[in-house]
């Protein structure tokens, strides 16, 4: 069987379409990582007092240098000092940015912006939900950031899930695992790396779907399957070999491309920045007890499970139909359906369950595991609330096994000699 596997891997890997798609996937991953780096921005004044903008690696290095003083644990004392600096500027020049001299802004305000933005999110007007102006938050109040954050999260959950108290209780229980004080280092969390990682996974799923689509159907169409099926191991064992080789090949492409994306993007922004608390990268009231690095690891793991589920689903379709174009159309449609539901759906509970439980429910332009992880979404199951990031990997794992088994059964029963 090992020899059969090696021969099948060699056969699929040597086809021109596989080489083109694999090379395209790797190129796409590298380009997307470089795009993330190119989006980095830094503004400052040159020696002549003129405003200049840096981009790419120069901007990253400048931002790292500028934000170095606030890196490390975000202690109450560090928050108090930042707001004391802000109030000193406010009392002299007012709250409008355009009234603050640019040299003062870049020297005093820009280096503490990550702290100001985090605190602003947890101090809101209870009647309107609008953030309180920074000048109304005293340094002493700002130092109570962590207590105020818990209170703000509790209020938000009680309003958002007043009909599902179990969901609110679960979120607050998870939030108790969030470590304080938060930890901050400029880098990956300040960029679009996580969003582009999600998009990269989605595009890899699409490209590898194209590779998997003709695995069975092309042999049906050419008649080669009739010959193979008449051999000694022409049914069940051949199905397992074809399935396994296709999964191994596409998974290898996935692994190489994601590794390339991570190595390029993370190396540029700094590996130390992966220690940044997730709340400082996305939302201060997020209840997810993870760092940026841990969150990205979960995104890759969940993306791999969705990838395998989608590839197995495509192989199942390939074992059913004789026309590779039909298989490809149905498989691509299946890949896009969760994204279509997230954009055009009514938001009904049934649609959300369907969207998340589809093979590609964990990858997409707006419906990915990453967006579920950084949002506050729960789905009801009777009187219980289920956090959506739990649903995606469980559904993908089950579907991978299910469609793997159904493909073997379908191919074994396919009419042949």
């Amino acid at each position: 069987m090992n020899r059969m596997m090696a021969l099948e891997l060699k056969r699929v890997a040597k086809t021109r379409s596989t080489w083109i798609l694999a090379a395209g996937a790797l190129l796409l991953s590298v380009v997307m990582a470089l795009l993330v780096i190119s989006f980095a921005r830094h503004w400052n004044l040159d020696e002549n007092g003129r405003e200049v903008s840096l981009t790419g690696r120069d901007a990253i290095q400048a931002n790292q240098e500028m934000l170095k003083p606030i890196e490390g644990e975000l202690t109450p004392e560090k928050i108090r000092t930042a707001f004391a600096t802000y109030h000193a500027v406010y009392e002299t020049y007012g709250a409008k940015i355009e009234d603050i001299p640019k040299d003062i802004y870049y020297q005093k305000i820009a280096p503490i912006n990550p702290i100001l933005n985090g605190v602003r999110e947890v101090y809101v007007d209870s009647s309107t939900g609008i953030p309180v102006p920074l000048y109304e938050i005293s340094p002493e109040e700002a130092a109570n950031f962590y207590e105020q954050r818990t209170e703000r999260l509790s209020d938000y959950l009680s309003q958002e899930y007043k009909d599902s108290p179990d969901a609110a209780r679960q979120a607050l229980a998870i939030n108790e695992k969030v470590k304080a004080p938060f930890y901050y280092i400029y880098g990956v969390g300040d960029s679009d790396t996580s969003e582009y990682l999600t998009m990269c996974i989605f595009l890899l799923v699409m490209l590898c779907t194209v590779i998997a689509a003709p695995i069975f159907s092309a042999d049906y169409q050419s008649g080669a399957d009739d010959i193979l099926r008449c051999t000694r191991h022409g049914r069940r064992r051949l199905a397992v070999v074809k399935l396994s080789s296709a999964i191994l090949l596409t998974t290898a492409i996935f692994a190489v491309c994601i590794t390339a994306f991570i190595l390029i993007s993370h190396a540029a922004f700094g590996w130390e920045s992966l220690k940044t608390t997730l709340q400082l990268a996305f939302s201060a009231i997020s209840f997810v007890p993870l760092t940026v690095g841990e969150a990205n690891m979960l995104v890759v793991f969940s993306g791999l499970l969705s990838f395998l589920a989608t590839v197995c689903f495509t192989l199942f379709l390939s074992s059913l139909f004789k026309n590779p174009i039909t298989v490809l159309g149905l498989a691509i449609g299946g890949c896009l359906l969760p994204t279509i539901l997230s954009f055009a759906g009514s938001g009904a509970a049934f649609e959300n369950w369907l969207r998340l439980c589809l093979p590609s429910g964990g990858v997409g332009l707006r419906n990915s595991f990453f967006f579920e992880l950084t949002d506050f979404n729960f789905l009801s199951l009777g009187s219980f609330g289920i956090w959506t990031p739990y649903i995606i990997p469980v559904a993908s794992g089950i579907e991978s096994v299910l469609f793997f088994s159904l493909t073997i059964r379908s191919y074994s029963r396919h009419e042949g000699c």
Side-chain angles (χ1 to χ4, degrees):
M1 189 163 177
N2 290 338
R3 178 172 172 76
M4 290 176 64
M5 181 82 72
L7 290 172
E8 179 63 16
L9 275 170
K10 184 177 180 180
R11 182 188 72 84
V12 177
K14 285 180 66 176
T15 60
R16 174 181 285 187
S17 60
T18 299
W19 275 102
I20 292 173
L21 290 167
L26 181 58
L27 178 62
L28 188 66
S29 302
V30 172
V31 168
M32 293 184 75
L34 294 176
L35 278 175
V36 172
I37 297 170
S38 71
F39 292 154
R41 293 288 184 273
H42 175 85
W43 289 268
N44 214 324
L45 301 178
D46 63 12
E47 300 83 1
N48 299 318
R50 293 177 300 186
E51 195 169 26
V52 295
S53 173
L54 301 178
T55 61
R57 295 180 185 274
D58 292 337
I60 294 171
Q61 292 174 0
N63 285 331
Q64 289 171 337
E65 183 178 347
M66 179 183 72
L67 297 171
K68 192 74 174 176
I70 68 167
E71 289 185 345
E73 290 189 344
L74 188 60
T75 60
E77 183 57 37
K78 189 178 288 186
I79 298 173
R80 183 185 290 107
T81 301
F83 267 77
T85 301
Y86 170 80
H87 276 276
V89 174
Y90 165 71
E91 290 168 4
T92 304
Y93 302 103
K96 294 182 178 179
I97 294 179
E98 56 267 25
D99 293 337
I100 303 174
K102 290 183 178 179
D103 60 332
I104 298 297
Y105 177 82
Y106 289 123
Q107 289 174 16
K108 302 289 187 180
I109 302 300
I112 60 173
N113 262 332
I115 297 177
L116 300 180
N117 292 333
V119 173
R120 178 191 284 124
E121 191 176 355
V122 304
Y123 283 92
V124 299
D125 188 313
S126 57
S127 59
T128 63
I130 298 174
V132 173
L134 286 174
Y135 58 80
E136 294 185 9
I137 306 172
S138 69
E140 289 70 28
E141 288 176 321
N144 293 323
F145 168 73
Y146 294 105
E147 293 80 4
Q148 179 64 26
R149 173 190 166 275
T150 302
E151 183 179 333
R152 168 65 180 137
L153 174 61
S154 181
D155 291 343
Y156 175 84
L157 291 171
S158 63
Q159 294 175 11
E160 187 75 9
Y161 294 102
K162 53 188 173 183
D163 297 328
S164 181
D166 181 68
R169 282 195 298 270
Q170 285 189 53
L172 289 174
I174 296 172
N175 181 66
E176 291 178 0
K177 300 176 183 177
V178 175
K179 295 179 181 179
F182 294 163
Y183 193 85
Y184 176 76
I185 294 182
Y186 171 83
V188 173
D190 300 273
S191 69
D192 297 326
T193 302
S194 298
E195 290 86 344
Y196 272 75
L197 174 61
T198 296
M199 192 182 302
C200 184
I201 292 172
F202 173 66
L203 294 175
L204 288 175
V205 169
M206 298 284 284
L207 290 173
C208 288
T209 293
V210 178
I211 294 175
I215 293 296
F216 293 104
S217 56
D219 286 347
Y220 292 163
Q221 190 177 57
S222 67
D225 181 72
D226 293 336
I227 299 172
L228 293 172
R229 195 177 288 272
C230 294
T231 62
R232 180 182 177 186
H233 303 298
R235 287 185 179 271
R236 186 179 183 85
R237 182 171 293 187
L238 183 59
V240 172
V241 167
K242 282 177 165 289
L243 262 171
S244 301
S245 61
I247 291 171
L248 282 173
L249 180 62
T250 53
T251 302
I253 294 172
F254 178 92
V256 169
C257 293
I258 292 300
T259 300
F261 178 92
I262 290 174
L263 288 176
I264 295 171
S265 59
H266 289 29
F269 286 99
W271 295 95
E272 282 294 310
S273 67
L274 297 176
K275 298 177 183 178
T276 296
T277 305
L278 189 66
Q279 282 72 14
L280 293 177
F282 298 102
S283 172
I285 62 171
S286 171
F287 56 84
V288 183
L290 299 172
T291 65
V292 170
E294 291 167 345
N296 281 350
M297 284 178 61
L298 283 179
V299 168
V300 172
F301 175 72
S302 176
L304 177 60
L305 289 178
S306 295
F307 173 87
L308 291 174
T310 306
V311 168
C312 287
F313 173 66
T314 303
L315 291 167
F316 172 61
L317 292 175
S318 186
S319 71
L320 289 177
F321 299 99
K322 294 183 177 181
N323 190 330
I325 301 301
T326 301
V327 175
L328 183 59
L330 291 173
I332 294 295
C335 288
L336 294 175
L337 184 55
T339 298
I340 293 171
L341 288 174
S342 68
F343 278 103
S346 63
F350 171 76
E351 286 184 0
N352 286 326
W353 276 104
L354 177 62
R355 173 176 62 84
L356 296 174
C357 290
L358 286 169
S360 58
V363 294
L365 300 180
R366 216 175 82 174
N367 59 283
S368 70
F369 177 84
F370 169 72
F371 293 112
E372 299 298 331
L373 186 67
T374 55
D375 213 332
F376 299 83
N377 297 328
F378 284 80
L379 293 183
S380 297
L381 187 63
S383 59
F384 298 99
I386 301 179
W387 191 30
T388 52
Y390 291 153
I391 298 172
I392 293 171
V394 172
S396 297
I398 293 173
E399 288 163 349
S400 297
V401 176
L402 175 64
F403 287 119
F404 189 96
S405 303
L406 288 176
T407 303
I408 294 173
R409 183 175 184 272
S410 172
Y411 182 76
S412 298
R413 290 188 163 197
H414 187 79
E415 292 183 1
C417 65

